[in-house]
């Protein structure tokens, strides 16, 4: 996934520095500029054509909505408002803002806002999100991570949580199997009451007795395919034939 070219428009020094520091910790963000005035922001946005702007509303006595109206609609980036005032929220969403962060906000809340931008860009087909980079929003403890579905090998249940496995790490996510299946693309199939597998990572199937089978993944991890989910075998065979 390409990173989101991002501009911060904020005239409060401490707020600006905090936002910049937190954004640098978000891997999907490419921070390309920071401005503190309406005129400079308009020039920077029109020249650099960012994908995303973080926009304070009151900028040295001027109003940030003026910035939006000076940007041609076909060049208008996604907007996240960052402000100490709640009374502008209706107006902000009226100009199609993705999110509205009221100061003080947390790093987790900022991460959620960026996640909304990425999900919206995927749904609208904007160029930053590739078709094979469909994203799953995972809350692992207090950290929200956007995981490429193509990187997920399998998912297993553990009580009220799911463990999402990629090739080099795993995430613990509070969710049910039923709900997460609704958010996954069609390369995922349930093979057991406690496991879901990504068809693209299956190496082969080893039949067992009574209609069960073992699924061997590309990293040689073995999963049980229950006869209750035997219809999954047809999907797996179709996937292997297509490949």
């Amino acid at each position: 996934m390409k990173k989101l070219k991002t501009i911060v428009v904020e005239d409060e020094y401490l707020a600006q520095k905090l936002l910049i520091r937190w954004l640098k910790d978000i891997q999907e963000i490419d921070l390309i500029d920071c401005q503190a005035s309406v005129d400079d922001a308009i020039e920077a946005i029109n020249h650099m054509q960012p994908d995303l702007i973080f926009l304070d509303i009151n900028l040295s006595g001027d109003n940030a909505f003026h910035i939006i109206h000076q940007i041609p609609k076909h060049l208008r980036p996604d907007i996240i408002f960052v402000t100490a005032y709640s009374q502008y929220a209706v107006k902000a969403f009226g100009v199609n803002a993705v999110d509205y962060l009221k100061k003080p906000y947390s790093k987790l809340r900022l991460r959620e806002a960026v996640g909304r931008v990425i999900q919206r860009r995927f749904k609208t087909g904007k160029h930053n999100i590739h078709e094979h980079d469909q994203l799953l929003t995972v809350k692992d403890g207090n950290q929200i991570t956007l995981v490429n579905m193509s990187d997920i090998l399998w998912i297993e249940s553990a009580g009220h949580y799911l463990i999402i496995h990629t090739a080099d790490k795993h995430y613990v996510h509070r969710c049910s199997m039923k709900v997460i299946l609704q958010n996954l693309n069609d390369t995922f199939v349930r093979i057991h009451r406690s496991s879901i597998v990504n068809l693209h990572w299956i190496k082969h199937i080893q039949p067992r007795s009574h209609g069960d089978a073992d699924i061997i993944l590309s990293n040689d991890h073995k999963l049980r395919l229950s006869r209750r989910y035997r219809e999954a075998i047809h999907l797996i065979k179709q996937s292997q034939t297509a490949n």
Side-chain angles (χ1 to χ4, degrees):
M1 185 189 77
K2 293 181 181 179
K3 292 188 176 184
L4 297 168
K5 295 191 299 180
T6 303
I7 291 178
V8 167
V9 183
E10 170 66 76
D11 66 344
E12 295 181 19
Y13 178 79
L14 294 179
Q16 180 190 104
K17 295 303 178 186
L18 178 63
L19 178 55
I20 290 172
R21 186 169 78 244
W22 283 356
L23 287 175
K24 287 181 177 178
D25 291 335
I26 299 177
Q27 63 179 0
E28 295 88 0
I29 294 292
D30 176 17
L31 186 60
I32 60 175
D33 198 18
C34 182
Q35 297 294 337
S37 72
V38 167
D39 290 342
D40 289 341
I42 292 171
E43 182 179 354
I45 293 168
N46 284 325
H47 175 67
M48 298 182 178
Q49 299 182 19
D51 304 304
L52 170 65
I53 57 173
F54 285 85
L55 187 58
D56 190 10
I57 290 180
N58 288 326
L59 296 166
S60 302
D62 210 338
N63 191 297
F65 288 101
H66 179 66
I67 295 174
I68 299 170
H69 298 310
Q70 297 301 312
I71 304 170
K73 287 188 177 181
H74 69 285
L75 296 178
R76 194 170 293 178
D78 288 319
I79 303 166
I80 296 176
F81 283 97
V82 182
T83 178
Y85 304 95
S86 58
Q87 64 264 35
Y88 297 105
V90 173
K91 189 174 182 179
F93 290 112
V95 295
N96 207 27
V98 179
D99 211 335
Y100 191 93
L101 300 181
K102 188 175 181 298
K103 301 173 184 175
Y105 53 88
S106 66
K107 190 174 184 179
L108 177 60
R109 181 68 180 86
L110 174 66
R111 192 67 183 82
E112 289 176 346
V114 173
R116 290 180 182 179
V117 172
I118 294 173
Q119 294 289 8
R120 184 161 91 165
R121 294 183 74 83
F122 169 71
K123 289 177 182 178
T124 57
K126 290 190 178 181
H127 67 277
N128 284 83
I129 304 298
H130 296 295
E131 185 176 350
H132 63 275
D133 283 337
Q134 296 184 48
L135 300 169
L136 181 68
T137 302
V138 175
K139 185 175 182 181
D140 189 352
N142 291 324
Q143 179 71 37
I144 290 181
T145 304
L146 296 168
V147 181
N148 285 337
M149 293 187 193
S150 59
D151 292 336
I152 299 172
L153 280 71
W154 85 98
I155 301 170
E156 62 179 314
S157 66
H160 296 295
Y161 294 85
L162 300 176
I163 303 176
I164 299 170
H165 297 270
T166 66
D168 57 356
K169 63 178 66 176
H170 67 267
Y171 306 89
V172 179
H173 179 52
R174 187 176 178 88
C175 187
S176 68
M177 298 286 277
K178 180 179 180 180
V179 169
I180 203 166
L181 273 170
Q182 296 172 352
N183 294 309
L184 293 168
N185 61 33
D186 57 8
T187 65
F188 289 86
V189 61
R190 192 167 185 174
I191 59 172
H192 193 275
R193 63 182 178 83
S194 61
S195 56
I196 296 168
V197 68
N198 186 339
L199 296 173
H200 290 170
W201 288 91
I202 294 176
K203 184 160 63 175
H204 60 264
I205 305 173
Q206 292 179 344
R208 296 171 62 94
S209 60
H210 307 296
D212 288 357
D214 288 330
I215 303 295
I216 311 301
L217 302 183
S218 298
N219 64 349
D220 292 326
H221 183 81
K222 183 186 296 185
L223 297 171
R224 175 66 62 86
L225 189 153
S226 169
R227 62 182 178 274
R228 179 182 175 185
Y229 297 94
R230 57 183 176 272
E231 67 275 7
I233 293 179
H234 301 295
L235 295 175
I236 293 169
K237 289 181 177 179
Q238 289 175 9
S239 174
Q240 292 179 327
T241 300
N243 293 330

